Amino acid sequence: MKHSFDTGLEGADLLAALHETSFDRPWSQAEMRDLLASPGVRALVMSEEGEPAGFALVRAVAGESELLTLCVRPQFRRTGLGQSLLEGAEAFAAAQGAERIFLEVSERNNAAIRLYEACGYTTCGRRNAYYPDGADARILEKMLG
């Protein structure tokens, strides 16, 4: 059973630990604290089987929003958790008055791209050799509401 909760600055350690399970270059506790302290930023954490399973970090400012990161621990992937986190981030952004949401994803992250496209995101740009491994970043967007 999925359970969601929001976290403030005190959640930076948890977010960093979860991020480390999903990315080769995870964000540090200090980076998470800085993001959580930024205007319009919210972290939505979901737990599964009584333990934190993933989170979405979203920023909504001035009518637009950005999904800063989304991660799901490997053992909880392909359970619908990623989609639930994405929907939660979109709902937060829309409630803050955002009309659309953007995100960046490595062109090599096929599972994430499939999720985003299935949820209505479309490619609107590209950043060449954006990631440390040389992969391009695809910029995706979705209109909200």
Side-chain angles (χ1 to χ4, degrees), residues 7-8 15 19 27 31-37 40-45 54-60 65-71 85-86 89 92 101-103:
T7 182
L15 298 184
H19 205 256
W27 295 348
E31 289 170 311
M32 290 296 182
R33 268 193 299 282
D34 288 347
L35 285 167
L36 290 167
V41 173
R42 182 175 191 190
L44 173 65
V45 180
F55 76 96
L57 193 61
V58 61
R59 175 180 19 231
S65 59
E66 178 183 9
L67 181 69
L68 300 169
T69 192
L70 184 146
C71 69
L85 286 164
L86 190 57
F92 167 75
I101 187 168
F102 293 92
L103 62 86

Side-chain angles (χ1 to χ4, degrees), residues 112-131:
I113 291 168
R114 281 192 304 274
L115 169 66
Y116 297 136
E117 289 178 344
C119 291
Y121 286 77
T122 58
T123 300
C124 65
R126 178 176 300 275
R127 289 193 172 106
N128 295 326
Y130 181 76
Y131 293 101

Side-chain angles (χ1 to χ4, degrees), residues 5-29:
F5 57 96
D6 296 321
T7 182
L9 288 173
E10 70 281 356
D13 294 351
L14 171 63
L15 298 184
L18 288 170
H19 205 256
E20 188 173 20
T21 68
S22 296
F23 294 97
D24 293 334
R25 199 323 230 153
W27 295 348
S28 69
Q29 294 169 5

